[in-house]
Amino acid sequence: MASFVTSRVLSYFLTNSELKPRSRVRVQSVSGGNSKGLPSDSVQMNGASLIGEEEKNGVLIDRGIGEKEKTGGRADAWNASLKCGVEKKCVKDVISSHLDVLWDDGYGTKTVKDYFEEAKEMIRPDGGPPRWFCPVECGQPLKDSPVLLFCPGLDGVGSALALHHKALGKVFEVRCLHIPVRDRTPFEGLVTIVEKTVRLEHASSPNKPIYLVGDSFGGCLVLATAAHNPEIDLVVILANPATSFDRSQLQPLFPLSEAWPDELYNAVPYLLSFIMGDPVKMARVNIDHRLPRRLQIEQLFQNLIALLPCLSDLVDIVPKDTLIWKLKLLKSAASYTNSRIHAVKAEVLVLSSGNDYMLPSGDEAQRLKSSLKNCTVRYFKDNGHTILLEDGVNLLTVIKGTGKYRRSRTINFVTDFVPPSMSEFKYGYDELVGLLSFATGSAMFSTLDDGKIVKGLHGVPNEGPVLFVGNHMLMGLEACSLVLEFLRERNIMVHGIAHPDVLREREWVSSPEFSFTDWMKVMGAVPVTASNLFKLLSTKSHVLLYPGGARESLHHRGEEYRLFWPDQQEFVRMAARFGATIVPFGTVGKDDIAELVLDYKDLMKIPVLNDYIRNATSSSIRIRDKSKGEVANQELYLPGLLPKLPGRFYFLFGKPIATKGRKEEILKDRENAKQLYLHIKSEVEGCIAYLLKKREEDPYRNIVDRTVYHALHSPLHEVPAFDP
């Protein structure tokens, strides 16, 4: 059976010659028997030969660059690195244009120990210059994926993205810069290498962004490159950038490095390892948070013990003379970059650690945010300097959540969306809304085509486009449970249409952490616009729409379960245009969670507080004008709530309403559209009334009863409710 050789040794290097750093070598056995991995001596890193088992079995080699006529001298340069007497045939991999929902991003399968093992292979002296390589774990990216160039920190190995290779490799063409241990290229020379690659990539795909990820020292490299190329569309991601090196807490100790005796230096890496990173956060990377606490502690202890022997490898990765050189390089890099930072026009994302004992990364993030024109900061208070090797930071998740992933010059919230992975779903289900899920114990019901109501989501169509239309509960608390339950039970991605203010960047927050708002984007939420709804339905998506919007979500006292819908049939005509199936649904349970004691009218009667609310809402985005009636009164505020002993959330999805084949009658006849609109509204109200009545029959409506049942019988999501 054909299989890809995934030996770590095949992290194939691309030298900085005229060869465009865009190609990859993939060796595939087609002998029909058991495949054999390449021995470590069968691949010479700097382009000598591929020998051994491949000659026996025959291989298919995808060079990824086509014939010589198309690439000029580049094909010769590439073929020179494949001097073996095997049959060479170009093979086109099947490149997917999308990812499945709950795909495997590999996060938690790689650890810092893997980083050290890879580093030991890559630091062997070969006399070569700094060069780019493509990690084999990255695999084949999606069609039209942008390129991502990673610049390493002080170690220079280029494998600090080891924990993220598989995830990033799905949506980026990943290239990592390797700076050999004995290399003494000055900072300006390294900038030239990165800049040359950036310009080659831009010339090849001028309409795609180029991602530059810089870790510590690499942050200086990518910022300097961005300053030199303001006309190129760059997305710069900085992980604790070393632009603050002159203000490092360890600055007084660095001049002593040359005086360290060799015997003492063998102990220095152990000291630096605890200063540069958080060993506990590193050791927690591959621990399943669903395990009992006792097992988590046992595995953490084992990981820490396994990590200790690896620290001695730091002496080989950064020997004494190299450390002295790198410290001088850091000083010149920070000075060079800071003198040119005013010229950076790129889109910038800064990842800042709260426990960085090497650099003042928190203060530096704020400085960069105020100095750069388009800069976003995310603060990780529990992480250390080596943030990319620590638990709690999935780089692709951060890129998605901050809205930085795009395949063209402008972001498209629909076509650029990357569905949540399994690790993201687990975190969202267990950590993000775990307490809410436990407290509300959502019970889901749906209606079959014959009108029968059943437990679960079996009545919801698999094939899109599907438009879910329902009522907002107080503050939209039900949306999270709804989206996650569809992922868990049906493996269906439901895109929520959210108010733009909910997804907007909070500019007034000085040290914004990766927030619930960011997770909403990861889980498919998009701003409510006609354009986004059009794109979602045109791509046959499942879409969640609340016609009542903020007015319904932030209703007043005495308005529980009342619909505030516009008079216009906005969504009906859009659904008919694409033949979407409309599923009306109702949700109840907010009155069992909290009591609304202070609404907007009450708060506006309180001196000082009313002025604060006016100022806070004056800049909010208005998605409906006053002519739309009561639904346009969308004042955003935080109501006064009195918590209750939690009851339960109930969802009922009504009988699906097909619009396929009715396009002409609905689009051309407003009366038909109105009748359908009123029918949908009536169905939602009917679902709400049904649930309000039937929940009285639920023996597990109270959290205490559900908790006891859960402890004795089954998982929380299987706690029974009333019989439909």
Side-chain angles (χ1 to χ4, degrees), residues 118 184 193 215 289 313 379 421-422 428 500 559 582 594 603 614 645:
E118 292 180 14
R184 296 298 181 262
I193 292 173
D215 180 21
H289 298 284
D313 295 329
Y379 183 68
S421 65
M422 180 56 76
E559 296 177 343
I582 299 175
L603 295 175
R614 288 192 189 97
L645 187 66

Side-chain angles (χ1 to χ4, degrees), residues 282-590:
M282 293 179 180
R284 287 186 62 86
V285 169
N286 65 337
I287 297 179
D288 187 349
H289 298 284
R290 294 186 174 187
L291 291 174
R293 181 66 62 180
R294 178 182 60 84
L295 295 180
Q296 290 188 40
I297 294 175
E298 289 180 2
Q299 189 171 345
L300 175 63
F301 184 70
Q302 294 172 1
N303 289 352
L304 284 171
I305 293 176
L307 185 60
L308 287 175
C310 298
L311 299 180
S312 60
D313 295 329
L314 285 172
V315 178
D316 299 321
I317 297 173
V318 189
K320 180 181 176 181
D321 58 336
T322 298
L323 179 61
I324 294 172
W325 163 255
K326 289 291 180 71
L327 292 176
K328 294 178 180 178
L329 193 65
L330 271 174
K331 186 175 182 179
S332 64
S335 176
Y336 183 97
T337 304
N338 285 322
S339 66
R340 292 162 175 79
I341 203 168
H342 62 278
V344 175
K345 308 296 182 186
E347 189 176 355
V348 179
L349 171 62
V350 182
L351 312 185
S352 173
S353 293
N355 291 332
D356 189 346
Y357 301 117
M358 179 68 70
L359 299 170
S361 295
D363 294 339
E364 181 65 4
Q366 297 308 311
R367 185 184 77 88
L368 291 173
K369 186 174 182 179
S370 61
S371 302
L372 299 171
K373 295 182 178 180
N374 187 7
C375 181
T376 301
V377 173
R378 284 298 178 270
Y379 183 68
F380 298 86
K381 62 180 181 180
D382 297 325
N383 289 90
H385 183 69
T386 52
I387 187 172
L388 297 176
L389 290 171
E390 298 177 7
D391 181 46
V393 183
N394 186 326
L395 182 56
L396 180 58
T397 302
V398 176
I399 293 173
K400 291 160 56 180
T402 51
K404 300 299 180 185
Y405 184 75
R406 52 190 172 89
R407 296 184 178 93
S408 59
R409 290 189 174 274
T410 58
I411 187 170
N412 185 314
F413 291 105
V414 177
T415 59
D416 289 333
F417 175 71
V418 178
S421 65
M422 180 56 76
S423 71
E424 290 169 340
F425 167 75
K426 287 180 178 179
Y427 181 87
Y429 202 91
D430 296 343
E431 306 292 331
L432 189 64
V433 296
L435 181 60
L436 179 64
S437 297
F438 175 78
T440 58
S442 299
M444 299 278 178
F445 300 87
S446 59
T447 309
L448 303 178
D449 290 335
D450 60 4
K452 182 181 178 181
I453 297 176
V454 295
K455 183 77 162 59
L457 301 171
H458 306 294
V460 176
N462 282 321
E463 298 298 324
V466 175
L467 184 62
F468 299 103
V469 181
N471 67 302
H472 246 322
M473 290 206 296
L474 188 62
M475 298 177 66
L477 293 176
E478 78 290 341
C480 297
S481 298
L482 189 153
V483 172
L484 289 173
E485 280 299 318
F486 267 93
L487 285 171
R488 185 193 64 80
E489 184 177 333
R490 296 291 303 278
N491 205 38
I492 291 176
M493 181 72 247
V494 177
H495 292 271
I497 303 292
H499 193 288
D501 271 336
V502 176
L503 302 178
R504 190 165 59 167
E505 185 74 18
R506 300 296 187 259
E507 297 294 340
W508 62 85
V509 181
S510 58
S511 299
E513 298 182 35
F514 196 76
S515 65
F516 183 76
T517 297
D518 297 323
W519 275 103
M520 288 179 64
K521 298 174 187 174
V522 173
M523 292 297 172
V526 300
V528 56
T529 65
S531 174
N532 284 337
L533 182 58
F534 181 95
K535 293 172 183 176
L536 285 169
L537 294 178
S538 67
T539 54
K540 298 185 178 181
S541 303
H542 288 68
V543 185
L544 176 62
L545 178 66
Y546 295 100
R551 176 63 182 89
E552 200 169 271
S553 175
L554 297 172
H555 60 255
H556 303 158
R557 282 184 296 135
E559 296 177 343
E560 291 81 5
Y561 304 121
R562 178 181 166 188
L563 301 185
F564 292 91
W565 286 18
D567 296 330
Q568 289 79 9
Q569 307 89 35
E570 299 165 328
F571 64 86
V572 171
R573 297 165 63 83
M574 185 76 77
R577 178 167 186 165
F578 295 99
T581 301
I582 299 175
V583 180
F585 73 92
T587 312
V588 304
K590 61 188 174 184

Side-chain angles (χ1 to χ4, degrees), residues 14 19-23 74 132 134 145-149 173-175 194-212 232-234:
L14 301 179
L19 175 63
K20 178 172 172 289
R22 195 178 176 81
S23 310
R74 297 176 187 168
W132 300 99
C134 310
S145 293
V147 69
L148 183 149
L149 304 175
E173 294 183 19
V174 180
R175 311 281 183 267
V194 179
E195 187 175 1
K196 180 180 179 181
T197 305
V198 166
R199 291 181 175 178
L200 279 170
E201 290 292 340
H202 177 66
S204 173
S205 303
N207 295 320
K208 284 185 184 180
I210 298 173
Y211 284 74
L212 298 177
I232 297 179
D233 183 13
L234 301 175

Side-chain angles (χ1 to χ4, degrees), residues 106-157:
Y107 190 76
T109 59
K110 287 278 188 174
T111 66
V112 179
K113 186 178 179 181
D114 294 295
Y115 159 77
F116 280 110
E117 290 178 356
E118 292 180 14
K120 284 192 294 184
E121 293 289 338
M122 298 176 65
I123 61 175
R124 295 175 181 176
D126 55 23
R131 73 212 74 165
W132 300 99
F133 69 95
C134 310
V136 172
E137 293 88 350
C138 290
Q140 178 68 61
L142 295 178
K143 184 179 181 181
D144 296 327
S145 293
V147 69
L148 183 149
L149 304 175
F150 173 68
C151 295
L154 188 71
D155 62 308
V157 174

